[in-house]
Amino acid sequence: MENVKDLLVLLVTSSLVSNVVLSRFLGLCPFLGVSKKTNTAAGMGVAVIFVITLASAVSGLLYRYVLQRFHVEYLETIVFILVIAALVQFVEMFLRKAMPALYRALGVYLPLITTNCAVLGVALTNVQKEYGIVAGIVNGFATAAGFTIAIIILAGIREKLEHNDIPKPFRGMPTVLLTAGLMAIAFCGFSGLL
Amino acid sequence: MNRAGERLLNGLVKENPTFVLMLGMCPTLAVTTSAMNGLGMGLTTAAVLALSNLFISLLRKIIPDRVRIPAFIVIIASFVTAVQLLLEGYLPELNKSLGVYIPLIVVNCIILGRAESFAYSNPPIPSLFDGIGMGLGFTVALTCIGAVREILGSGELFGYGLMPDSFEPIRIFGQAPGAFFVLAALTALQNLIKEKRKSAGKSYRKIGSGCSEDCGSCSDMGCVRRFYGEKQTGKQGSRDKRQNEERDGGQDENRDERRKGNRDGKQKETRGGRGKGDRNEGQDDGGVRQDGGRDTGTDGLEYVDLEEEER
């Protein structure tokens, strides 16, 4: 079993040092698409944390107790994508029935997340790096937290940039990408943290 | 055979997935640290795309309309797994440098987009060549971006020194931030071309908005809508209806307007509205079924229905 120190290091690494969007380029679509307002960005972030943590737990268990047991590890890609897609559907249905308040807060973002390559990316990374189940869940949570941090910061910057006078071809997406690039440089600074 | 050639050219030039349609940007940014990586990733994707297009086209009469998206995903994922195992066996170095991005080909917008828009409604041979053309277009684009980043970032091309000694490599282009800068330059260039075409009165509609407009558009109107618009032959059922709507004249204006609205920052409202649409529709149809499939794959498949409803 992993000790607590290792888990803390993992937490910092996955959320800040190798940030999921800014250095691993996963989940770029919602990062660029849903980052116009800080409150929508925050909603998306929370939904992502929720789904990725759950997905890494489920995929970890499935890998350990089903795939490894029957020696069919090579099926991981197929199994994970289907499980994640089904999982998000179930989460949506469950929340709608059981926790309407939470559903109203997250509901809009849930279907968007299935298509997020970060979810599958985290599940596969957990397997590739041979994390245990607990470490996998921590990694999932940390990765999603990193996503949330990045998307909220970007949304804040975009709100400020909205009324600036930008050369015409650079309006819209190019500016956002430049901002993301500068943020990526800033996040490089975190590598001194460990 | 002429048809096949036309599909090849279409993928390579007219509808180049990266430069024109702006699809599948995640792997584009992640693996283009060098020209070699770009080439490897491009060819891997091309292989998967061609094979999955061929098989989906062969099975198109067997796959029921309702579960087509999950079926596509299983087919695509199988080929990805096969290709991954082959890479592990024969090109371990490339496999290592591409890492987790190989299995992530499954969620690449381009592949599911082509399956849905072309392979599912066309015979095998054109589908195969469509896949090859699109794949090669992707490969060329990735190699070009990789080459730019490699030349600027380390002064080399495919590992051979290219620049004079006085050239000081701009290391940042080889790292993560460089990818964003290169893509920013690319989208700015695209915007410029779009502006020019618009003022010259030519069609600019096809030129990318998957990710260039804003990637939210990938999820609400990007890939699939554009694909639907281009589709020549249709199948029965809901898809036909959708297509006809798409062909309506006023449609385009409508869409542009909404886009403008989005840009003005009304995005939240529209999005909220759509979400509601989603829920209602889910209840009307009762259950998971089609939606379940729809939500699985790549960026951009959902919300097609919702938009219709919104209107």
Side-chain angles (χ1 to χ4, degrees):
Chain A
M1 212 66 206
E2 308 84 1
N3 60 39
V4 179
K5 195 186 146 216
D6 284 345
L7 290 182
L8 280 178
V9 170
L10 184 64
L11 196 71
V12 176
T13 316
S14 302
S15 60
L16 297 176
V17 179
S18 60
N19 185 284
V20 62
V21 253
L22 296 173
S23 80
R24 282 190 283 157
F25 302 108
L26 297 176
L28 214 54
C29 281
F31 177 69
L32 300 174
V34 200
S35 57
K36 276 198 176 135
K37 290 248 158 68
T38 27
N39 46 359
T40 36
M44 184 70 189
V46 175
V48 166
I49 291 183
F50 187 70
V51 170
I52 290 192
T53 313
L54 202 63
S56 49
V58 171
S59 61
L61 286 170
L62 206 67
Y63 187 75
R64 179 87 160 266
Y65 293 109
V66 179
L67 294 187
Q68 275 191 334
R69 184 149 165 235
F70 296 106
H71 303 290
V72 285
E73 287 93 339
Y74 57 88
L75 287 178
E76 57 182 26
T77 314
I78 305 179
V79 171
F80 285 175
I81 182 98
L82 291 177
V83 165
I84 289 168
L87 181 76
V88 176
Q89 285 295 316
F90 274 121
V91 168
E92 202 184 343
M93 273 160 30
F94 175 76
L95 284 184
R96 192 189 293 166
K97 286 275 175 230
M99 293 179 238
L102 189 61
Y103 180 74
R104 267 196 299 280
L106 302 184
V108 192
Y109 306 105
L110 281 175
L112 278 174
I113 295 171
T114 341
T115 65
N116 186 338
C117 47
V119 187
L120 184 62
V122 170
L124 290 168
T125 319
N126 284 345
V127 169
Q128 275 185 2
K129 295 205 174 159
E130 293 171 359
Y131 290 142
I133 291 174
V134 179
I137 296 172
V138 172
N139 182 38
F141 174 77
T143 308
F147 176 85
T148 311
I149 295 170
I151 198 174
I152 292 178
I153 296 177
L154 181 70
I157 299 175
R158 278 181 79 173
E159 277 182 1
K160 293 278 176 212
L161 280 177
E162 192 131 316
H163 303 292
N164 285 8
D165 187 22
I166 298 165
K168 213 169 176 201
F170 275 92
R171 272 177 213 167
M173 207 28 71
T175 318
V176 180
L177 286 166
L178 284 178
T179 315
L182 293 175
M183 279 172 65
I185 295 180
F187 270 69
C188 283
F190 282 120
S191 55
L193 213 58
L194 290 181
Chain B
M1 225 49 226
N2 211 3
R3 183 94 195 277
E6 181 241 307
R7 293 318 305 172
L8 272 180
L9 198 69
N10 182 56
L12 265 172
V13 184
K14 257 167 58 191
E15 286 177 23
N16 187 297
T18 306
F19 291 144
V20 182
L21 297 179
M22 283 267 172
L23 293 177
M25 295 323 277
C26 291
T28 309
L29 288 183
V31 301
T32 51
T33 45
S34 69
M36 200 59 214
N37 277 354
L39 187 66
M41 182 70 185
L43 288 179
T44 316
T45 313
V48 174
L49 186 56
L51 287 172
S52 66
N53 255 10
L54 177 66
F55 269 77
I56 287 166
S57 170
L58 284 172
L59 295 173
R60 70 186 190 281
K61 301 219 167 84
I62 305 169
I63 301 174
D65 209 38
R66 292 208 143 184
V67 293
R68 62 184 193 284
I69 306 279
F72 294 165
I73 288 175
V74 172
I75 293 172
I76 295 167
S78 317
F79 282 118
V80 169
T81 310
V83 167
Q84 190 188 359
L85 292 176
L86 284 175
L87 279 186
E88 255 175 60
Y90 293 100
L91 296 166
E93 259 174 53
L94 184 67
N95 185 52
K96 215 173 152 198
S97 67
L98 295 180
V100 77
Y101 297 100
I102 295 283
L104 284 178
I105 294 176
V106 182
V107 286
N108 192 327
C109 229
I110 302 170
I111 300 185
L112 204 63
R114 287 329 280 179
E116 168 83 4
S117 71
F118 196 87
Y120 194 53
S121 50
N122 280 286
I125 298 294
S127 297
L128 174 68
F129 280 93
D130 181 72
I132 295 175
M134 279 281 160
L136 288 181
F138 189 59
T139 310
V140 169
L142 248 57
T143 314
C144 290
I145 298 177
V148 169
R149 285 183 64 186
E150 199 180 345
I151 291 172
L152 290 175
S154 58
E156 293 176 336
L157 187 60
F158 287 108
Y160 298 106
L162 200 70
M163 303 299 266
D165 288 339
S166 57
F167 174 75
E168 187 69 42
I170 317 166
R171 293 258 173 253
I172 200 99
F173 276 99
Q175 294 160 355
F180 285 111
F181 294 143
V182 172
L183 188 67
L186 193 63
T187 45
L189 195 68
Q190 219 189 30
N191 280 350
L192 197 68
I193 294 172
K194 222 189 295 187
E195 268 322 300
K196 284 230 170 98
R197 296 197 76 163
K198 210 158 134 189
S199 56
K202 283 187 199 148
S203 153
Y204 62 95
R205 202 165 69 92
K206 241 180 220 164
I207 298 185
S209 53
C211 289
S212 68
E213 268 301 321
D214 83 72
C215 226
S217 72
C218 217
S219 11
D220 43 55
M221 63 180 78
C223 331
V224 169
R225 287 186 61 83
R226 257 174 298 136
F227 280 132
Y228 272 124
E230 294 151 17
K231 199 150 75 168
Q232 298 109 355
T233 47
K235 286 217 162 191
Q236 297 298 314
S238 61
R239 297 201 296 157
D240 253 353
K241 199 183 90 204
R242 217 172 286 144
Q243 261 179 355
N244 292 339
E245 272 182 43
E246 177 84 51
R247 286 199 198 106
D248 273 355
Q251 192 89 356
D252 290 349
E253 272 175 52
N254 212 350
R255 190 206 294 188
D256 280 359
E257 252 171 51
R258 182 169 315 120
R259 229 179 244 168
K260 232 180 276 158
N262 277 353
R263 215 175 288 146
D264 293 339
K266 287 181 200 148
Q267 201 191 14
K268 198 189 155 197
E269 283 131 56
T270 6
R271 207 165 274 283
R274 268 178 215 148
K276 242 174 264 155
D278 181 19
R279 227 159 296 155
N280 292 342
E281 184 176 275
Q283 277 152 10
D284 290 346
D285 290 16
V288 202
R289 27 43 335 162
Q290 200 173 355
D291 260 5
R294 188 148 290 255
D295 286 345
T296 23
T298 5
D299 323 290
L301 281 173
E302 65 257 328
Y303 285 140
V304 176
D305 285 345
L306 327 180
E307 278 206 67
E308 244 81 290
E309 193 153 292
E310 208 179 356
R311 257 168 240 136

